[in-house]
């Protein structure tokens, strides 16, 4: 009895796939484009068809507990995986789009197995030597991208928990740097930390307000 072939790309019918069975395919996704603080992360994953992983999907549609269960399985079962980041300083210097593309390229280049094509979540691809193809909503269509989504998200969440230990007044462990009411409240109360993105509007406006504020005792 022949073994059923696992479809690692359930959202991509064979006629639409930009690769062949001879290609080494990696999935690439990012985490942390929107937050006001912390690095942006990206991951690249080459799955092993012989070692399927149940439950792969867009990390945003999984609970934190489920992501934490899947991340070590992905690392154990994948043929290759890598995680990379771009710092807050790079985000402010390059802008968030270019920093995200750079983090994705770093993740692909860090893979120990060189892929022949990278499937990128979204509608843009980073500039790199490996052939790339953008897949809109790929994190919920292509298992390799789903796996990359999970690794990037869990790595970034772990980093924000670490940053919480350094700057506990902001509550990074709760909101992971996103612009929640709690985060905005603490940001206004304490001002930006060294890990806030100064090019993002809520942070930039606070810095500008502080810069133009009149010193205490300044005459009206």
């Amino acid at each position: 009895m022949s073994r059923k072939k696992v479809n690692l790309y359930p959202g991509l019918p064979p006629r639409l796939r930009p690769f062949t069975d001879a290609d080494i395919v990696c999935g690439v996704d990012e985490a942390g484009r929107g937050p006001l603080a912390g690095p942006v992360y990206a991951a690249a994953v080459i799955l092993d068809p012989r070692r399927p992983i149940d439950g792969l999907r867009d990390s945003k549609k999984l609970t934190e507990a489920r992501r934490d269960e899947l991340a070590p399985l992905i690392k154990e079962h994948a043929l290759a995986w890598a995680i990379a980041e771009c710092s807050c300083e790079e985000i402010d210097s390059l802008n968030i789009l270019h920093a995200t593309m750079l983090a994705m390229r770093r993740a692909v280049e860090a893979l120990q197995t060189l892929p022949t094509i990278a499937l990128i979540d979204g509608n843009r691809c980073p500039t790199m030597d490996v052939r790339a193809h953008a897949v809109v909503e790929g994190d919920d269509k292509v298992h390799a991208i789903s796996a990359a989504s999970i690794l990037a998200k869990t790595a970034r969440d772990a980093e924000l928990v670490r940053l919480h230990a350094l700057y506990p007044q902001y509550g990074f462990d709760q909101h992971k740097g996103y612009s929640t009411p709690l985060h905005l409240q603490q940001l206004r109360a304490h001002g930006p930390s060294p890990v806030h993105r100064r090019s993002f509007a809520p942070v930039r406006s606070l810095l500008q307000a502080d810069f133009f504020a009149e010193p205490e005792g300044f005459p009206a």
Side-chain angles (χ1 to χ4, degrees):
M1 180 176 173
S2 62
R3 184 178 179 183
K4 182 179 178 181
K5 186 175 181 180
V6 176
N7 181 7
L8 295 178
Y9 314 98
L12 293 179
R15 63 184 176 83
L16 296 180
R17 293 179 190 169
F19 53 88
T20 69
D21 289 342
D23 277 308
I24 301 174
V25 181
C26 77
V28 184
D29 200 5
E30 55 77 26
R33 285 184 64 166
L36 305 179
V40 61
Y41 273 72
V45 178
I46 302 174
L47 291 177
D48 186 347
R50 299 164 299 180
R51 306 186 73 188
I53 303 167
D54 291 332
L56 294 177
R57 63 180 312 191
D58 175 6
S59 65
K60 296 184 292 296
K61 296 182 179 180
L62 298 169
T63 65
E64 181 177 359
R66 184 60 177 146
R67 290 194 298 265
D68 289 341
E69 291 174 356
L70 286 169
L73 290 176
I74 294 167
K75 294 176 180 179
E76 178 184 351
H77 289 203
L79 289 175
W81 61 272
I83 300 171
E85 66 178 87
C86 261
S87 67
C88 295
E89 292 79 12
E90 289 174 311
I91 292 170
D92 290 335
S93 173
L94 299 173
N95 78 41
I96 186 59
L97 173 61
H98 288 92
T100 300
M101 294 296 108
L102 178 56
M104 286 181 169
R105 191 185 80 196
R106 286 172 174 170
V108 173
E109 291 176 346
L111 288 168
Q112 292 188 342
T113 298
L114 182 66
T116 60
I117 183 169
L119 301 182
I120 313 293
D121 180 61
N123 59 6
R124 294 174 180 264
C125 293
T127 301
M128 53 188 177
D129 293 336
V130 175
R131 183 165 53 105
H133 181 80
V135 184
V136 175
E137 297 181 352
D139 49 7
D140 216 25
K141 293 179 178 178
V142 181
H143 285 174
I145 300 179
S146 301
S149 171
I150 292 165
L151 291 192
K153 174 64 174 168
T154 52
R156 188 179 189 281
D157 283 357
E159 171 63 8
L160 268 291
V161 170
R162 187 189 74 82
L163 292 178
H164 172 71
L166 297 176
Y167 309 102
Q169 63 270 38
Y170 297 98
F172 288 142
D173 61 330
Q174 298 180 55
H175 50 68
K176 305 301 189 293
Y178 285 90
S179 55
T180 64
L182 170 64
H183 189 187
L184 294 175
Q185 175 185 323
Q186 299 305 94
L187 186 57
R188 287 190 293 267
H190 302 286
S193 74
V195 295
H196 277 95
R197 301 173 181 178
R198 275 139 174 76
S199 56
F200 278 45
V203 182
R204 186 174 66 246
S205 63
L206 279 174
L207 290 168
Q208 290 172 342
D210 184 64
F211 179 80
F212 289 109
E214 294 179 349
E216 185 177 350
F218 194 84

